[in-house]
Amino acid sequence: MSDLTEVTAADEEPAEASEPSGVRAALRRRLTETTTWTFLILLGIVAGFAALRFQQFATVFNFRNIAADASGLLIIAVGMTFVIITAGIDLSVGSVLVFSGVIAAKVMLAIGGGGWGAIAAGLVAGLVAGTAWGVVNGVLVTKARVPPLIVTLGTLGMALGSALLITGGIDVRGVPLQLTTTIGIGQLAGVPYVVIIAAAVTAVGAVTLSMTRFGRYTYAIGSNAEAARRAGINVDRHLIKVYALSGFLAGMAGMVSLARFATTTIGGHSTDNLAAIAAVVLGGTSLFGGIGTVLGTVVGVFIPAILQNGFVILGVQPFWQQVAVGAVLIIAVYIDQLKRRAQERGERR
Amino acid sequence: MATTSTPARSITRARLASVLQGQGALVALALLVLFGALRYDNFLSSYNVTSFLANNAKFGLIALGMTFVIMTGGIDLSVGAVAALASVVAAMVSEYGLVVGIAVPVLVGAVIGLVNGSLVAWGRLQPFIVTLAMLLAARGLALTVAGNQSVAVDFESGFTALGTTTLLTLAAPIWIFAVAYLLGVLVLGRTPFSRHVLAIGDNEETARLMGLRVERVKLGVYALSGALAGMAGVLLAAQYGAGQPAEGVGWELTAIAAVVVGGTLLTGGLGSVVGTLWGVLLLGLIFNVLNFENGRGVISLSPYWQSIVLGGFLLVVVLLQNRLAARQT
């Protein structure tokens, strides 16, 4: 069926005559990867802002702020990377974040006292709440065979609605002060704790995806779920774990948000899901599944973050950031597409 | 099961499945209306009915465009942001009168839709990514153009007539809502366009081999979705008396929910405009009924239940569709 279109497509451009060897080949392969492209774009953006406003932009203080602001989204996007590599999607992350924050804050207030005991109980409750939503997503996707887009759209509504219901629509205040002063704004050797948490999540996520059986299963299911099943992978169980991971990380992002702002942010996360998906795709992960890296996602998270920051420093309307990110998204995916088509032609010959 | 079921039973079941697939939303809507009418005074009062319809006109328009997009197997995530941008544009040009105030924002929406369509059809990019990028871009443009605040409509011009004029006791947005769906049904039922849309959604390669101009149809579908989102933005500006750059967050997801509840398959190839209409009314009515329930004051049901009910309902409907479709085959 597809052969008919490929015949015409293959005539347009001759494929690579022969495989170049050695370092140049490795370099060439690197250069055609989407992640490399987007990483170069990121470097270009950083260099551009540094050239224009070195004094304000290229400071430790500023980078610390950018990293701290991006920490929540990065944590969510790591989970989203796993989900998208399985060819799934999770629209519920922003709502789950809010829900987890609300549960954690309520538990902390209910225990009271403001000690570390209350804080720990609240954090555990928040993480469990996030994971629970993830399990619900995973079970509905695998056992009920509802498309992930619909499942997570449904749980998006339910998680946010539940959070609103529990709080009456008013943000919960009065979480123990220690949470904010330590995890929220505290630093270790000049690095904010929230950045350390996000970096740790990213590192663990990257290792898990690239070096463990869990990661291999994730890729295998995304490439071909049926083949993975026949190879003896328990696909349903693995998918439930992946969605649970996404829910857990959304919960963790909720804890980070709670610690930073000392309050739940019910109204502030309605676009987190799409921001995370955009970051993941920008990082070279394919929505068709089977392809993607956590490091790419890191690049994808920081392009919007740095653009936003740089535009504010330059005095440009910060909302141009969204326009720019939209354009970069299209360009990155288009280059990826061209590359993949060229590759297919190459394989065919 | 195969050994016990007689042909007659399986036919009944297949018929039941197809009824639920196509008309499940209508059945639920009828039950909910009946429930409301019996339980609450003034539920069927002309005030409630007209304000309900006028408020849901925006979602109706967006869901209508979304129906055609989803029938081709695509998706349009940009509609909420496009509506916000269009509402800002409408407010800015409102001083030139009603015709300009409608035409320019709708044109802006259509142009954005054409860009979406071109990237999907000729760029061969995934609709999800293209329209996600356009969501970001349109939202950024709306906020930039409006300077991050709402833009007042010129009340001296004829533009405000859109919010105030009534024809046969029905407000203008309701007429627009009704005419749009009437045209949608006629287009879907009586023209080759709809068959082309469904053929592409069913199997794009086959459609191409049959000689359909796949690219052109896709372009048309996304342009239509953009234009309808633009019109929704016009209604938004007229009803609020201002362009709202931050409005419309999540509208795309509500529209997708309405389309799916109305029986259109997310994978494309099967769908119904009328079903979407029932879907839009049903989702809106859940909110309306919750409001009435609160009005009785017996039990206090927070309006926040809306998104819980909505999300749960969406899952139940799709689950039922899946079950029945699985039995059918």
Side-chain angles (χ1 to χ4, degrees), chain B residues 51-215:
Chain B
S51 63
F52 169 75
L53 290 174
N55 280 331
N56 282 283
K58 303 184 279 293
F59 305 114
L61 294 178
I62 284 180
L64 179 60
M66 189 72 81
T67 308
F68 286 98
V69 172
I70 291 183
M71 281 195 295
T72 65
I75 203 156
D76 189 350
L77 297 177
S78 68
V79 284
V82 170
L85 177 61
S87 81
V88 171
V89 173
M92 291 170 88
V93 300
S94 60
E95 57 181 304
Y96 301 107
L98 185 61
V99 175
V100 175
I102 293 177
V104 175
V106 170
L107 202 65
V108 167
V111 168
I112 292 176
L114 283 174
V115 174
N116 281 337
S118 312
L119 288 168
V120 169
W122 285 294
R124 301 280 175 95
L125 296 175
Q126 283 165 276
F128 193 94
I129 296 176
V130 168
T131 56
L132 175 57
M134 193 53 85
L135 178 160
L136 295 169
R139 175 70 63 193
L141 272 181
L143 288 166
T144 306
V145 171
N148 197 18
Q149 54 191 357
S150 54
V151 181
V153 164
D154 183 2
F155 283 92
E156 305 294 310
S157 74
F159 183 74
T160 48
L162 199 57
T164 55
T165 309
T166 54
L167 182 64
L168 301 173
T169 75
L170 295 179
I174 300 177
W175 282 103
I176 293 168
F177 189 7
V179 169
Y181 271 84
L182 205 60
L183 286 176
V185 170
L186 289 180
V187 166
L188 193 68
R190 323 252 148 137
T191 65
F193 178 73
S194 65
R195 286 200 298 279
H196 296 175
V197 167
L198 289 171
I200 290 169
D202 194 41
N203 189 329
E204 191 173 326
E205 215 46 59
T206 311
R208 203 185 303 276
L209 292 174
M210 287 194 315
L212 293 187
R213 293 182 170 162
V214 173
E215 280 75 19

Side-chain angles (χ1 to χ4, degrees), chain A residues 5 144-145 287 322 337 341, chain B residues 124 126 136 205 319 322:
Chain A
T5 51
R145 308 234 164 269
L287 280 182
Q322 285 164 290
Q337 196 100 329
R341 259 181 249 164
Chain B
R124 301 280 175 95
Q126 283 165 276
L136 295 169
E205 215 46 59
L319 262 175
N322 271 8

Side-chain angles (χ1 to χ4, degrees), chain A residues 96 99-100 103 124-134 247 251:
Chain A
V96 170
F99 183 84
S100 309
I103 293 294
V124 169
L127 292 176
V128 168
T131 313
W133 279 112

Side-chain angles (χ1 to χ4, degrees), chain A residues 5 89 144-146 150-151 153-154 157-158 161-162 164-165 168 270 274 287-288 317 319-320 322-323 326 337 341, chain B residues 123-124 126 128-129 133 135-137 139-140 143-144 148 205 249 253 266 302 304-305 307-308 311 315 318-319 322:
Chain A
T5 51
I89 201 128
R145 308 234 164 269
V146 179
I150 300 291
V151 168
L153 181 54
M158 292 197 284
S162 307
L164 287 166
L165 210 56
S270 53
L274 297 179
L287 280 182
F288 291 119
Q317 276 263 25
F319 307 113
W320 282 111
Q322 285 164 290
V323 182
Q337 196 100 329
R341 259 181 249 164
Chain B
R124 301 280 175 95
Q126 283 165 276
F128 193 94
I129 296 176
L135 178 160
L136 295 169
R139 175 70 63 193
L143 288 166
T144 306
N148 197 18
E205 215 46 59
V249 174
L253 299 180
L266 260 188
S302 154
Y304 302 131
W305 274 102
S307 43
I308 301 180
L315 289 178
V318 177
L319 262 175
N322 271 8

